[in-house]
Amino acid sequence: MSIISIGVSGLTAAQIALSTSSSNTTNAYTAGYTLQVANFSEATAGSGVQVSSVDRQYNQFVTSQLNSSTSAESALSTYQTEIDQIDSLLADGDASLDTLMQSFFSSIQTLTSDASDTAAREEVIGAAQTLTSQFTQLGSYLDDMADDVNSQIDDQVSQVNDLSEQIADLNKKISLSDALGSTANSLLDQHDLLVSQLSELVDVDVTTQTNGSYTVSLSNGLALVSGNDSFELQTAVSASDPTQTVVTYVDAAGHTTTLDDSTFEGGSLGGLMDFRDNSLSDAQNQLGILAVSLTQAFNTLQAAGVDLNGDTGSALFSVADPSVYGNTQNSGDAVLSATFTDDVSALSATDYTVKYSDTDGYTVTRNDTGASVDATYDSDTLTFAGMSVTISGTADNGDSFLVLPTRNAASSFTTLTSDGSLIAAGTSTGASDNSNALLMLNLQTDSIVGGSKTLAQTYSALVSDVGSTASKVAGQLETQTSLTDQLTALQQSESGVNLDEEAANLIVYQQYYQACAKVVEVGTSLLDTILDIN
């Protein structure tokens, strides 16, 4: 092998090394770029040097751990954004429900001093209207949040599908590149960047195939990407609860499977579902049971008393009847409708599921704990938890129904009259009779919520639960963010570009190129000398 050829092999290797280092330098701030290194090896038969490969400095284990941490951080960040809204909403001191409930009962206390005082009666009506207005605003805000969560789920499922399609397309290109024996470092970088972005939306498991392509799966094993194919997620209205959006999976045969919310434990999609299924529904139900309990207790006293006109008292407050939804997969034609009974002491701040079986008939369970609920069935009427449920039609074995007594009660809470004379302050026709007003005042300290808590205790527990959850999530997010930062630093130490090192490499490879050029020059000089001798 001639000296010239050996020198040229060095020049070629130096050019590749300079090109690699230049690429590293110029892409130092490119998202998803992985450091590349040119590997030198001795050419065969003493023919100089060759660049055997240009490899990415890539650690699959660290990347996998970073994606998992990113997914967990994204879920917590999403949850915190949502829960902080409720925390701020309930923390408004001047307009808090606790303050307004105190004002309402203070106005009743004033009324007990002189039941015939029309100004005191108007003060009670005004306080009642202010209280129900705040309930409505809070309930409507939470209802809007629920709608917004559903919209966000729609949007994020679309993003998941878009990223899955892009990963599948890159799989195809990487497989082709592998078949042709060429290096696809830039495609692999794009691959990893897309998986990182997907991990922010949903937690995924990634398996690398021998040709460099990725199989990307959900936590339950269903593939989002396999080979050159991507599989679509869709959103649909829940079969059991039409107020909620669920995610479905479409397989290669076009069959659709509804995914359980627990499938999405990480990513912003998981954070949204966790928030909706826990903190949001709990807050709606807690506010709702306050409205229902006050309505039923106060209206019961109204009906037992006499107003200023000498008439039997009429209802002061109103809340919507419980909502009942039949599962869309029911095969029977049974339809259920529900109303509250006068005694709602057995009512809990939760949803209920009514199921029918040929062996057990109608059974009721709490959705929050799964515990069975005592229920009586008589003449097509099912009574449980302070509700009377009327059944028309016939249920088939396995049919189920969702009962929502309190979830939407707060947003429907209203005052029915603006006439203070209709307050049934007494139990006789005497204008100054305040005996019933005293009983109304006692509702402030009576355990009228679930038969075990006062109104103030229930609201305080709600504020405390939301605040505690917000604080806990904030702490978890801080810890998870720190872990993500550590993993990012570890990944960058291996795969990131160090500009100081690359600057040094450019000088080294430049000198190497010059040295190889000198070899070629010497070889050429020797050849010229030999030719001159001839």
Side-chain angles (χ1 to χ4, degrees), residues 273-458:
M273 290 186 170
D274 192 12
F275 166 75
R276 180 189 68 182
D277 297 344
N278 293 288
S279 293
L280 179 56
S281 62
D282 285 351
Q284 288 177 302
N285 283 324
Q286 290 284 356
L287 280 178
I289 200 171
L290 280 170
V292 171
S293 299
L294 180 57
T295 296
Q296 298 306 100
F298 204 93
N299 287 351
T300 297
L301 289 178
Q302 276 282 108
V306 178
D307 64 23
L308 195 59
N309 303 315
D311 298 325
T312 300
S314 57
L316 177 64
F317 296 119
S318 173
V319 291
D321 290 332
S323 300
V324 184
Y325 302 105
N327 194 298
T328 58
Q329 297 178 358
N330 289 352
S331 57
D333 62 359
V335 176
L336 278 59
S337 59
T339 58
F340 291 110
T341 62
D342 290 339
D343 181 10
V344 292
S345 59
L347 182 66
S348 297
T350 183
D351 306 332
Y352 297 84
T353 296
V354 177
K355 290 186 178 180
Y356 178 81
S357 70
D358 292 337
T359 55
D360 299 324
Y362 287 100
T363 57
V364 183
T365 56
R366 293 175 52 142
N367 285 11
D368 57 346
T369 63
S372 297
V373 177
D374 291 336
T376 58
Y377 180 72
D378 181 39
S379 301
D380 295 330
T381 300
L382 189 66
T383 305
F384 64 93
M387 290 177 284
S388 178
V389 179
T390 302
I391 302 171
S392 60
T394 304
D396 285 347
N397 185 55
D399 285 357
S400 64
F401 305 84
L402 178 66
V403 182
L404 308 178
T406 55
R407 193 191 294 179
N408 302 311
S411 58
S412 68
F413 191 28
T414 57
T415 304
L416 295 176
T417 182
S418 59
D419 185 356
S421 68
L422 297 182
I423 298 174
T427 55
S428 66
T429 56
S432 61
D433 183 1
N434 68 350
S435 58
N436 210 34
L438 290 171
L439 295 177
M440 293 175 179
L441 181 61
N442 288 340
L443 293 180
Q444 184 176 20
T445 54
D446 288 345
S447 298
I448 64 174
V449 182
S452 61
K453 290 183 179 180
T454 66
L455 295 169
Q457 287 172 339
T458 302

Side-chain angles (χ1 to χ4, degrees), residues 443-506:
L443 293 180
Q444 184 176 20
T445 54
D446 288 345
S447 298
I448 64 174
V449 182
S452 61
K453 290 183 179 180
T454 66
L455 295 169
Q457 287 172 339
T458 302
Y459 184 72
S460 177
L462 169 60
V463 174
S464 177
D465 288 345
V466 171
S468 176
T469 299
S471 178
K472 180 181 71 174
V473 171
Q476 291 175 335
L477 177 59
E478 183 178 359
T479 300
Q480 194 64 51
T481 300
S482 177
L483 176 59
T484 301
D485 290 343
Q486 292 176 30
L487 288 168
T488 300
L490 178 59
Q491 185 201 46
Q492 288 301 302
S493 69
E494 296 186 34
S495 304
V497 176
N498 184 313
L499 290 176
D500 291 335
E501 290 182 2
E502 294 308 315
N505 287 339
L506 284 171

Side-chain angles (χ1 to χ4, degrees), residues 146-167:
D147 292 338
D148 181 63
V149 167
N150 287 336
S151 297
Q152 289 187 66
I153 290 173
D154 283 333
D155 178 63
Q156 296 196 12
V157 164
S158 296
Q159 293 181 52
V160 169
N161 289 334
D162 182 56
L163 290 170
S164 297
E165 289 177 5
Q166 292 183 61
I167 293 172

Side-chain angles (χ1 to χ4, degrees), residues 155-230:
D155 178 63
Q156 296 196 12
V157 164
S158 296
Q159 293 181 52
V160 169
N161 289 334
D162 182 56
L163 290 170
S164 297
E165 289 177 5
Q166 292 183 61
I167 293 172
D169 183 60
L170 280 174
N171 275 351
K172 182 178 180 180
K173 294 178 180 179
I174 291 170
S175 298
L176 178 60
S177 177
D178 181 73
L180 296 175
S182 58
T183 303
N185 287 343
S186 61
L187 296 179
L188 294 173
D189 284 347
Q190 294 175 48
H191 225 196
D192 291 332
L193 180 60
L194 290 175
V195 170
S196 177
Q197 293 171 348
L198 183 60
S199 295
E200 293 182 12
L201 297 172
V202 60
D203 52 328
V204 292
D205 296 321
V206 180
T207 304
T208 304
Q209 307 302 319
T210 55
N211 60 4
S213 65
Y214 285 166
T215 297
V216 183
S217 305
L218 295 171
S219 61
N220 62 359
L222 293 175
L224 289 175
V225 180
S226 180
N228 301 338
D229 298 319
S230 62

